[in-house]
């Protein structure tokens, strides 16, 4: 999103950009950092990223106030306010990409997109989350039969590309508990997936696991591409 685009969407959900505490970057690909520099300058917002990612994206973001350059090591968790932030290394064709596990004493959120592979360390870090904001990028058949040139198909399918609908299901087969967790399928390809297909695929997996959405054993959503996703307020539930 551009700075302007982000401002417009925040307005729709009645969030003042000045109230944002931080921007967390996962990797330097342009579609993930586009508006970050502008928002940071305009509203004095700190930007968090690991050292290698900072180095790679610094030129693109242009001048950032040095107080807003927040660098972390991918191997180390850290506190931001009362939230413990645990970077989770992912497999993607960027310099040093990471997802995030965000937790406090009661709640845990995993934000994992842009990864061609999930290893046991990642599973270990993600388990018992209240929210899995999880990539469900493509339907393998749609991708294979679609219009992408072959090298790009290979890139997406590789272990440094993106998680397919099937990959997302495999992960939830390992981690799903049916204890009310929220699964938000995200980073859907516009060419090689549809929200209906991604939803149907995960629903089938949950059905097979005996996790019934109807009784709230889990919640399943697809993050919309161009609008804001649902807001989850965990503080209120405490
Ligand atoms: Zn990327
Ligand atoms: Zn991406």
């Amino acid at each position: 999103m551009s700075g302007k685009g982000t401002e417009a969407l925040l307005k729709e959900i009645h969030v003042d950009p000045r109230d944002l505490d931080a921007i967390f970057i996962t990797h330097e690909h342009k579609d993930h950092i586009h508006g970050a520099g502008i928002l940071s300058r305009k509203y004095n917002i700190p930007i968090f990223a690991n050292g290698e990612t900072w180095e790679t994206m610094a030129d693109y973001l242009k001048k950032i106030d040095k107080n807003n350059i927040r660098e972390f090591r991918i191997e180390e968790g850290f506190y931001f306010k009362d939230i413990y932030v645990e970077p989770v290394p992912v497999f993607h064709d960027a310099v040093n990409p990471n997802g995030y596990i965000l937790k406090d004493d009661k709640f845990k959120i995993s934000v994992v997109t842009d990864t061609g592979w999930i290893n046991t360390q990642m599973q270990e870090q993600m388990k018992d989350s209240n929210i899995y904001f999880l990539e469900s990028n493509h339907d393998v058949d749609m991708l294979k039969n679609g219009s992408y040139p072959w090298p790009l198909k290979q890139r997406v399918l590789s272990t440094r590309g993106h998680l397919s609908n099937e990959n997302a299901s495999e992960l939830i087969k390992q981690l799903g508990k049916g204890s009310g967790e929220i699964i938000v399928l995200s980073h859907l390809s516009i060419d090689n997936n549809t929200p209906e297909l991604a939803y149907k695929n995960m629903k089938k997996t949950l059905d097979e696991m005996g996790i019934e959405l109807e009784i709230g054993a889990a919640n399943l959503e697809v993050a919309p591409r161009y609008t804001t996703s649902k807001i989850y307020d965990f503080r209120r539930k405490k």
Side-chain angles (χ1 to χ4, degrees):
M1 295 270 165
S2 65
K4 272 212 172 83
T6 309
E7 284 173 322
L9 289 178
L10 286 172
K11 202 170 171 186
E12 272 179 31
I13 54 168
H14 313 292
V15 173
D16 187 330
R18 284 170 299 196
D19 291 338
L20 296 183
D21 294 317
I23 296 170
F24 285 85
I25 303 290
T26 57
H27 65 295
E28 72 280 9
H29 287 161
K30 301 222 162 48
D31 54 328
H32 287 261
I33 62 171
H34 190 45
I38 295 144
L39 292 169
S40 175
R41 272 188 293 281
K42 194 162 171 190
Y43 302 106
N44 192 28
I45 306 171
I47 299 178
F48 286 80
N50 68 61
E52 291 80 358
T53 300
W54 255 118
E55 224 169 86
T56 315
M57 70 180 180
D59 284 351
Y60 186 84
L61 293 193
K62 304 211 181 81
K63 183 107 189 85
I64 302 295
D65 188 294
K66 68 172 188 325
N67 293 321
N68 288 333
I69 298 178
R70 306 289 176 88
E71 209 177 292
F72 59 79
R73 281 165 44 82
I74 202 167
E75 306 83 2
E76 282 169 22
F78 57 94
Y79 273 97
F80 174 66
K81 301 200 156 191
D82 55 349
I83 295 172
Y84 189 68
V85 179
E86 209 180 277
V88 44
V90 299
F91 299 90
H92 191 55
D93 54 356
V95 61
N96 195 22
N98 66 266
Y100 290 102
I101 314 291
L102 309 167
K103 53 188 174 185
D104 67 4
D105 51 347
K106 286 209 171 67
F107 294 103
K108 176 170 174 180
I109 302 171
S110 291
V111 180
V112 176
T113 67
D114 299 81
T115 189
W117 185 252
I118 299 269
N119 64 10
T120 43
Q121 187 205 320
M122 293 166 74
Q123 284 190 28
E124 199 53 38
Q125 283 183 273
M126 294 170 77
K127 73 174 187 200
D128 301 326
S129 291
N130 302 94
I131 297 186
Y132 296 99
F133 188 88
L134 177 65
E135 171 160 57
S136 193
N137 178 260
H138 55 276
D139 172 81
V140 173
D141 289 332
M142 259 180 101
L143 176 71
K144 282 186 177 160
N145 299 321
S147 63
Y148 277 14
W150 178 238
L152 185 53
K153 287 183 184 177
Q154 273 178 315
R155 196 215 127 203
V156 175
L157 286 167
S158 81
T159 51
R160 288 170 65 80
H162 292 281
L163 289 184
S164 67
N165 295 344
E166 293 82 352
N167 295 150
S169 279
E170 284 303 319
L171 181 70
I172 293 301
K173 266 186 205 157
Q174 302 298 321
L175 299 183
K177 294 203 302 189
S179 56
E181 62 267 27
I182 297 166
I183 301 164
V184 186
L185 304 176
S186 62
H187 208 297
L188 270 67
S189 164
I190 195 156
D191 300 297
N192 304 311
N193 208 353
T194 67
E196 294 72 26
L197 207 54
Y199 186 96
K200 228 172 75 187
N201 177 76
M202 186 59 76
K203 168 90 167 68
K204 186 165 160 270
T205 299
L206 293 170
D207 285 346
E208 285 164 9
M209 294 170 74
I211 296 178
E212 289 178 46
L213 296 175
E214 295 72 20
I215 57 164
N219 299 276
L220 179 58
E221 325 248 345
V222 179
R225 195 182 171 88
Y226 298 112
T227 59
T228 54
S229 47
K230 217 165 117 181
I231 298 174
Y232 299 97
D233 187 346
F234 280 97
R235 310 274 147 184
R236 209 175 293 153
K237 281 193 192 168
K238 271 192 181 178

